[in-house]
Amino acid sequence: MRTSPAPEGPWSEELLLFTARVPVDGGNTYDAQAHSEFDANGGQMIYVTYSRSLGDFRSEVRLVSVSMQTTGQIP
């Protein structure tokens, strides 16, 4: 994730929010999507879904909640 006080930047350095579970068959983790419609506590809790391969043409969708804390710093 990167943050900015304005759409045009300046942008912060990258921040790792979570690590996805490893695909079962050595396949792929894909289609991560943040769901702003479910943000809570003024955007301090966000929800992200992603898919991972389970093998034999199967996959699962995972839901991750990410809790944010403000630092008071502007990038």
Side-chain angles (χ1 to χ4, degrees):
M1 180 178 93
R2 292 178 187 260
T3 62
S4 172
E8 65 275 6
W11 291 93
S12 68
E13 295 297 317
E14 289 181 7
L15 176 64
L16 180 65
L17 295 181
F18 68 93
T19 301
R21 285 193 162 187
V22 176
V24 173
D25 65 351
N28 297 310
T29 299
Y30 53 95
D31 72 4
Q33 175 68 45
H35 295 277
S36 60
E37 65 272 23
F38 299 121
D39 287 358
N41 198 21
Q44 289 185 328
M45 176 72 74
I46 66 170
Y47 294 89
V48 178
T49 56
Y50 68 92
S51 298
R52 73 176 183 135
S53 174
L54 296 176
D56 297 326
F57 301 102
R58 296 179 304 129
S59 65
E60 70 177 357
V61 176
R62 307 285 304 181
L63 173 66
V64 178
S65 63
V66 179
S67 181
M68 311 272 201
Q69 294 181 359
T70 59
T71 62
Q73 300 174 352
I74 297 176

